Amino acid sequence: MTTREILKYPDPRLREVGAPVQAVTPEVQALVDDMAETMYASGGCGLAATQIGEMVRIFVVDCAGEDEPSDLRVFINPEIIEADGQQVWNEGCLSFPGVNEEIKRAEHVKARALDRNGQPFEVEADGLLAVAIQHELDHLNGVLMIDKLNAIKRRMMGRKLAKAKQDEAQT
Ligand code: NI
């Protein structure tokens, strides 16, 4: 397993759309393992393949709390087949280090995907897991959290990103 470099906004590769995975081969499983390791190493609760420059439809999430056992979930070729309700969550993203924004999404989703062994599964989620599934699926379509903000908040986020980058350069 290898920790991969995470692309940071505004890297244009974050705008690419992931291609469907044709078969869950050992190479695909190795990529999944790299993604999980990269997500844990960065302290995130989700990571999409497009965030490490692999343009395929895979994401991993682990929404377990700090005191809970890990709950790694692998989604290959994911689809949201039901979405309802509404919630606002203060979201972060490994491609937007140092910023969090309140974003409105569906409260409850039902998703379908293949797991790490290529087996189909369905999951119903609400709360943080529902947020993470929607956020990561957006990544596979080249959609980023900044797109969910209104013009004023987008501009403020640009400033926060510039400041975070400056702070990083100073440390
Ligand atoms: Ni993200």
Side-chain angles (χ1 to χ4, degrees), residues 87-91 101-105 145 148-149:
Q87 62 177 328
V88 174
W89 204 279
N90 196 27
E91 294 186 24
E101 291 292 342
E102 292 198 329
I103 292 172
K104 200 187 293 178
R105 297 191 188 267
M145 59 187 272
K148 304 279 176 185
L149 304 176

Side-chain angles (χ1 to χ4, degrees), residues 7 10 24 27 50 80 82 84 87 121 144 147 170-171:
L7 305 179
V24 181
E27 289 75 21
T50 49
I80 289 179
E82 273 176 40
D84 49 66
Q87 62 177 328
F121 69 95
L144 303 172
D147 305 334
Q170 283 167 357
T171 51

